[in-house]
């Protein structure tokens, strides 16, 4: 198949999908519940500031609570990284050692 035709068809498909795709709007920071017309709820700036002030006071009153992210736990960041590294490293090691022998291994190298 001609590469130019394939490229043109791919570009047409991407632009067509992008044109007809449902437009989604992301509300990154809003105050209160956003209605269907984009209007916000009764959650005012003063209420938001009061809520944040109470959160800061609660965090200062309980310093041992931390952020809630268990870094060294098996379900945390480091634990999950170690487990994933061990699993994928074991699989890669098995492929490496099994690939050194067999009918496709280079003669004289193993």
């Amino acid at each position: 198949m001609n590469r130019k035709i394939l490229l043109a068809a791919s570009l047409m498909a991407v632009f067509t999908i992008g044109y007809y795709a449902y437009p989604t709007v992301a509300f990154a920071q809003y105050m209160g519940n956003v209605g269907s017309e984009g209007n916000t709820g009764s959650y005012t700036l003063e209420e938001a500031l009061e809520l944040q002030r109470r959160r800061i006071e609660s965090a200062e009153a309980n310093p041992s609570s931390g952020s809630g992210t268990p870094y060294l736990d098996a379900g945390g960041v480091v634990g999950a990284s170690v487990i994933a590294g061990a699993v994928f490293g074991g699989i890669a090691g098995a492929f490496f050692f099994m690939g050194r022998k067999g009918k496709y291994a280079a003669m004289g190298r193993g």
Side-chain angles (χ1 to χ4, degrees):
M1 183 177 237
N2 194 353
R3 288 188 182 196
K4 290 182 182 181
I5 295 173
L6 183 62
L7 180 64
S10 299
L11 285 174
M12 281 182 41
V14 167
F15 288 129
T16 304
I17 290 170
Y19 180 74
Y20 288 111
Y22 181 72
T24 57
V25 178
F27 295 102
Q29 294 178 355
Y30 59 89
M31 295 169 45
N33 296 326
V34 176
S36 61
E37 298 176 3
N39 51 350
T40 59
S42 62
Y43 190 52
T44 63
L45 178 62
E46 289 78 18
E47 292 171 343
L49 292 174
E50 176 65 26
L51 181 63
Q52 297 304 319
R53 187 186 56 77
R54 281 191 261 149
R55 286 181 182 172
I56 291 171
E57 288 174 355
S58 174
E60 288 174 349
N62 300 311
S64 63
S65 62
S67 66
T69 305
Y71 285 105
L72 300 178
D73 188 25
V77 176
V78 175
S81 299
V82 168
I83 291 171
V87 169
F88 289 112
I91 293 171
F95 281 140
F96 176 74
F97 289 120
M98 294 300 290
R100 292 185 52 88
K101 58 185 173 182
K103 69 178 188 176
Y104 295 111
M107 292 294 182
R109 293 194 197 168

